[in-house]
Amino acid sequence: MSLTNISVLISGSGTNLQALLDAQERGDMPEASFKLVISNAAGAFGLERANKAGVETKVISSKDTSFLLKVLRESETELIVLAGYLPILPRAVTDEFCGKILNIHPSLIPSFCGKGYYGIKTHQAVIDAGVKITGATAHFVDAGVDTGMILIQEAVSVKWDDTPQSLQRRVLAAEHRILVAAVKAFTENRVVISENHCYIEDEMDLLVNMEGAFL
Ligand code: GRF
């Protein structure tokens, strides 16, 4: 089986990117080939992570759709991973790469998602709402915002004394685990799509991390 060419899009610290690179380094993703890391922000620390791992990087404005598409085509990208990428992908990209774009979101979609729900704001909203369970979602990207088919989720309990920062730390750890599982499954052709939902063969599609929960 030939390797899957992957381009990872970032905007910031790149801890999700790092989780992917570490997994490959450990030999956990033998079918993945990380060809490119593209950031819309020149100062994104994730670019340094990519350089350290020997992965080519590019800074492309989120407005420059034609150049983004040119770069994705020339690198023969077969999977796009949005790993903390903040801009909304243009329709031209989501159409051309339909079924080949994965995103990681810091909540259990369809809760706390869509316009305005990103980064620490998501966790603040979770705490303000008083919910007891949150988590992370890895999903396919369609033309909407956080509306594509859900592939895998991990639930994280909300502790009574959580701050947005303490909650973000636990959810981020869950993001790293399920993003690696989602990308690995895609590169190994273990994603099963039936009608309007999908799942991963040989994998639980709901993981539960009840650290701190009152069991
Ligand atoms: C994470 O919360 C991720 O879910 C969101 O962007 C944040 C930063 O991710 N999409 P990273 O550390 O840059 O990977």
Side-chain angles (χ1 to χ4, degrees):
M1 191 177 353
S2 67
L3 299 185
T4 301
N5 294 330
I6 302 171
S7 288
V8 183
L9 274 54
I10 63 167
S11 296
S13 57
T15 63
N16 279 285
L17 166 67
Q18 192 63 60
L20 295 170
L21 296 173
D22 291 349
Q24 188 180 49
E25 179 65 25
R26 288 195 303 271
D28 289 355
M29 278 210 237
E31 305 303 332
S33 171
F34 292 99
K35 304 291 278 187
L36 260 184
V37 170
I38 298 170
S39 175
N40 62 307
F45 185 66
L47 293 170
E48 287 186 41
R49 296 178 193 271
N51 290 328
K52 216 167 141 199
V55 179
E56 185 184 351
T57 62
K58 285 199 186 302
V59 177
I60 302 178
S61 161
S62 58
K63 306 264 181 294
D64 199 344
T65 306
S66 50
F67 184 49
L68 176 60
L69 280 170
K70 179 174 182 293
V71 165
L72 291 169
R73 289 169 188 149
E74 285 176 357
S75 59
E76 298 177 326
T77 292
E78 296 163 296
L79 172 64
I80 298 171
V81 179
L82 306 184
Y85 187 70
L86 293 179
I88 303 300
L89 276 184
R91 188 65 189 264
V93 179
T94 55
D95 283 352
E96 182 164 334
F97 288 88
C98 181
K100 298 173 181 173
I101 309 173
L102 285 171
N103 182 48
I104 184 72
H105 181 76
S107 79
L108 292 177
I109 290 175
S111 298
F112 305 104
C113 65
K115 214 162 167 48
Y117 285 107
Y118 57 88
I120 201 76
K121 286 178 157 183
T122 313
H123 308 295
Q124 183 64 64
V126 162
I127 289 172
D128 292 349
V131 297
K132 306 310 175 193
I133 293 281
T134 186
T137 302
H139 65 97
F140 284 101
V141 174
D142 60 13
V145 180
D146 299 333
T147 53
M149 278 192 292
I150 292 169
L151 183 56
I152 183 169
Q153 295 184 302
E154 178 170 330
V156 174
S157 61
V158 183
K159 299 183 196 176
W160 66 274
D161 58 349
D162 259 325
T163 62
Q165 289 73 17
S166 63
L167 185 54
Q168 181 175 46
R169 276 193 294 276
R170 294 203 309 283
V171 172
L172 204 48
E175 292 177 39
H176 298 165
R177 284 188 288 269
I178 64 171
L179 186 59
V180 167
V183 171
K184 177 178 169 62
F186 186 96
T187 64
E188 295 170 358
N189 295 318
R190 286 188 292 110
V191 173
V192 180
I193 296 177
S194 70
E195 288 164 24
N196 64 341
H197 75 284
C198 59
Y199 61 92
I200 297 176
E201 264 179 1
D202 311 332
E203 179 98 53
M204 286 171 57
D205 48 12
L206 168 66
L207 307 171
V208 180
N209 169 1
M210 299 307 282
E211 176 197 345
F214 297 106
L215 297 176

